[in-house]
Amino acid sequence: MATHRNSARPAALLATALAVTLTAAVTPSAQATAGPARTARALEWRPCTGGPAGQECADLPVPLDYARPDGPALTLAVSRLRTDRPGARRGTLMVIPGGPGSSGVQRLTQKGAALREATEGRYDLVSLDPRGVGGSTKAGCGLAEDDRMLTALRSWPAADGSIDENLARSRRTAEACARNGGEVLRSFTSANQVRDLDRFRQALGERKVSAWGVSYGTYIGAQYAQAHPGRVDRLVLDSSGDPDPARVERGWLANMARGAADRFPDFAAWASDPAREADGLRLAERPEDVGPLLLDLAARLDRTPGESSVPGAPLTGNGLRQTLQNALYSDSAFAGFAALVRSVEDPAAVPVLPPELVHPLPDQDAALMVSVICNDVRWPADTGAYREEVAADRERYPLTAGMPANITPCSFWQNPPADEPATLTDDGPSNVLMIQSLRDPATPYSGALKMRAALGAKARLVTVEHGGHGMYLGNGNACGDRTVNTFLTTGRRPARDTYCAD
């Protein structure tokens, strides 16, 4: 789901997140400490460097293992932006980041001012960096640089569809994480993130909190509301995935193939619009010609990778496919991807690669990218089945070339899940508002309908006639934003599921 920020290159994609290094000044990365974190204590707030005026940062100790509350503790970076209208204050609103792998502190830095204005000062706004992210305690796997490239951490098959290299890398990565990650890495789970959120609530001194979860954050938010129904005031779930416990993690990744297919027509229409002629970014005269053009270009780069502005970093077919996948998250990224395609087609141009195709992730971020999805659930280990599924997926969804169906390090993970995946139900108060794009490249609408069905009478769904990932205060429209604003400020939701055309 995943992460995610609305940017040209999303920081975290659901289930296969590109983890981000926190840009706001918060607590540096820490290891597990010896002191216990048995009960939440009051937070010691200090000014953050950067971000909206008045944003504060603090450190939250949490148990490494909640079954051993007197054992070692981890430190989570947390942040707060207090209301600028104390007389209007209703309570506290938690911003739950996506991913797994996105920074909540960074998201609050980016969205805090707009969210405070949209909610009319009703809330103190807070967020945290989950375990392994940003300024919170991290762990590494000791992976080689080549294994930390995004196009390696994503299991893109070879040009001929072979997954042999993916198998070898997945096994190598799982073994390195087992050898080097230790107990800290094993603690990076969805269940612990839910527990950490309640520890944060306690430290804030709040009896109840409201929350806005995005992408993977919707799964965490819905789990939190189910585990602590009396602790949740108003809950917004923005860009939800299928919560079926038999499909979480692996199913989220697989669904990205359909998501990309749902979303691609938006890009094709944009890239064939005559208005693109003025800036030289029109790729074809008709929308139906854009897909074949890109597939042909990727196949050519499979055979002969193209030179780029970075020596030793050619543009490959999978590099082009990965960049397209990222661009589908937001209309604002279309122009950059079209410019890359144009530069590849122009013999006189030197393509400028996006950073994620050039630089390996830091080891700790790469470790986080795989650990949560592998720690949460068991993945199938039948390599023959993966070969068959990849071949079928490549045929059905050529834009993603079998990557969403491919094997990952989770198939070779050496530690069993500590918790069973949550089964979300309709038990609890009716205080959830879902908002969802019709054409989401990461958490497709079909999966969100499964979340809607699971929550039953607890929820209302706002469907937005738009494409992209992350609707509220992001890729959505005025109608969707207005509906969420009304819910957060007054508690009023639509009487039934509703549709926002503009």
Side-chain angles (χ1 to χ4, degrees), residues 50 72 106 130 142 202 249 333 389 427:
Q106 188 178 61
Q202 295 171 40
E249 264 82 21
E389 291 170 13
D427 294 336

Side-chain angles (χ1 to χ4, degrees), residues 71-229:
L74 308 182
T75 299
L76 305 186
V78 301
S79 188
R80 175 176 71 177
L81 186 62
R82 287 189 285 189
T83 176
D84 55 354
R85 304 171 215 181
R89 185 183 184 276
R90 174 182 177 81
T92 291
L93 174 66
M94 283 187 176
V95 178
I96 307 176
S102 281
S103 161
V105 176
Q106 188 178 61
R107 187 163 182 82
L108 185 60
T109 299
Q110 295 167 335
K111 294 289 187 180
L115 182 58
R116 185 163 63 178
E117 182 64 25
T119 55
E120 301 175 359
R122 294 287 202 278
Y123 301 96
D124 291 339
L125 307 175
V126 301
S127 195
L128 58 75
D129 283 349
R131 301 171 184 226
V133 177
S136 296
T137 300
K138 294 185 176 183
C141 291
L143 302 178
E145 282 195 0
D146 286 350
D147 290 343
R148 290 189 271 115
M149 299 299 297
L150 183 57
T151 49
L153 289 162
R154 298 280 183 80
S155 288
W156 290 99
D160 62 357
S162 168
I163 68 169
D164 289 347
E165 186 175 351
N166 306 126
L167 288 169
R169 179 178 290 114
S170 293
R171 189 185 300 276
R172 187 165 64 238
T173 298
E175 290 173 350
C177 289
R179 186 169 57 249
N180 301 318
E183 197 174 3
V184 174
L185 187 78
R186 292 194 293 275
S187 81
F188 297 165
T189 68
S190 295
N192 276 337
Q193 189 169 338
V194 171
R195 296 175 181 117
D196 291 344
L197 285 181
D198 201 54
R199 181 59 61 97
F200 189 20
R201 177 197 60 78
Q202 295 171 40
L204 291 166
E206 295 284 7
R207 185 176 66 85
K208 283 189 173 186
V209 291
S210 294
W212 167 34
V214 184
S215 191
Y216 168 71
T218 64
Y219 180 63
I220 298 300
Q223 280 196 62
Y224 184 79
Q226 180 156 299
H228 306 283

Side-chain angles (χ1 to χ4, degrees), residues 85 112-121 472-473 481 484-486 488-489:
R85 304 171 215 181
L115 182 58
R116 185 163 63 178
E117 182 64 25
T119 55
E120 301 175 359
Y472 181 50
L473 302 181
D481 285 356
V484 176
N485 292 344
T486 298
L488 289 176
T489 56

Side-chain angles (χ1 to χ4, degrees), residues 96-450:
I96 307 176
S102 281
S103 161
V105 176
Q106 188 178 61
R107 187 163 182 82
L108 185 60
T109 299
Q110 295 167 335
K111 294 289 187 180
L115 182 58
R116 185 163 63 178
E117 182 64 25
T119 55
E120 301 175 359
R122 294 287 202 278
Y123 301 96
D124 291 339
L125 307 175
V126 301
S127 195
L128 58 75
D129 283 349
R131 301 171 184 226
V133 177
S136 296
T137 300
K138 294 185 176 183
C141 291
L143 302 178
E145 282 195 0
D146 286 350
D147 290 343
R148 290 189 271 115
M149 299 299 297
L150 183 57
T151 49
L153 289 162
R154 298 280 183 80
S155 288
W156 290 99
D160 62 357
S162 168
I163 68 169
D164 289 347
E165 186 175 351
N166 306 126
L167 288 169
R169 179 178 290 114
S170 293
R171 189 185 300 276
R172 187 165 64 238
T173 298
E175 290 173 350
C177 289
R179 186 169 57 249
N180 301 318
E183 197 174 3
V184 174
L185 187 78
R186 292 194 293 275
S187 81
F188 297 165
T189 68
S190 295
N192 276 337
Q193 189 169 338
V194 171
R195 296 175 181 117
D196 291 344
L197 285 181
D198 201 54
R199 181 59 61 97
F200 189 20
R201 177 197 60 78
Q202 295 171 40
L204 291 166
E206 295 284 7
R207 185 176 66 85
K208 283 189 173 186
V209 291
S210 294
W212 167 34
V214 184
S215 191
Y216 168 71
T218 64
Y219 180 63
I220 298 300
Q223 280 196 62
Y224 184 79
Q226 180 156 299
H228 306 283
R231 302 299 187 191
V232 177
D233 185 12
R234 298 165 183 169
L235 176 61
V236 175
L237 304 182
D238 180 350
S239 304
S240 301
D242 182 355
D244 182 347
R247 287 187 52 77
V248 292
E249 264 82 21
R250 184 173 180 235
W252 296 338
L253 179 58
N255 285 348
M256 292 177 73
R258 176 169 180 176
D262 289 347
R263 171 64 162 153
F264 184 75
D266 291 339
F267 175 74
W270 181 94
S272 58
D273 189 330
R276 305 280 83 77
E277 293 282 10
D279 49 21
L281 297 180
R282 191 181 188 195
L283 301 183
E285 293 186 359
R286 303 181 304 167
E288 57 265 35
D289 295 331
V290 177
L293 180 151
L294 294 179
L295 292 174
D296 288 346
L297 182 58
R300 174 156 61 90
L301 292 170
D302 282 337
R303 294 188 297 270
T304 308
E307 293 185 4
S308 77
S309 58
V310 181
L315 177 61
T316 64
N318 283 338
L320 185 74
R321 295 180 185 102
Q322 180 63 65
T323 307
L324 170 62
Q325 179 69 32
N326 289 359
L328 294 178
Y329 272 55
S330 174
D331 289 4
S332 64
F334 287 178
F337 179 71
L340 176 64
V341 172
R342 276 291 186 217
S343 68
V344 176
E345 293 180 316
D346 182 355
V350 179
V352 177
L353 300 185
E356 62 265 25
L357 298 187
V358 178
H359 304 295
L361 272 70
D363 182 59
Q364 293 176 325
D365 291 350
L368 187 279
M369 183 173 170
V370 298
S371 60
V372 175
I373 63 174
C374 297
N375 286 331
D376 272 2
V377 293
R378 278 286 193 194
W379 288 51
D382 183 348
T383 58
Y386 282 106
R387 295 184 196 277
E388 293 176 1
E389 291 170 13
V390 166
D393 211 55
R394 285 168 66 84
E395 181 72 22
R396 186 176 184 186
Y397 299 111
L399 288 172
T400 46
M403 180 273 291
N406 206 354
I407 198 163
T408 72
C410 302
S411 292
F412 304 104
W413 211 245
Q414 297 184 19
N415 298 105
D419 299 274
E420 290 294 321
T423 298
L424 299 180
T425 72
D426 59 359
D427 294 336
S430 185
N431 60 353
V432 180
L433 181 67
M434 296 176 59
I435 184 167
Q436 189 80 22
S437 161
L438 271 176
R439 300 178 300 281
D440 189 315
T443 54
Y445 191 69
S446 55
L449 292 179
K450 301 289 182 63

Side-chain angles (χ1 to χ4, degrees), residues 238 434-440 445 461-468 471-472 475-481 483-484 498-502:
D238 180 350
M434 296 176 59
I435 184 167
Q436 189 80 22
S437 161
L438 271 176
R439 300 178 300 281
D440 189 315
Y445 191 69
L461 171 63
V462 180
T463 298
V464 179
E465 174 52 67
H466 209 287
M471 290 294 100
Y472 181 50
N475 289 311
N477 59 28
C479 167
D481 285 356
T483 305
V484 176
T498 190
Y499 175 79
C500 279
D502 54 28

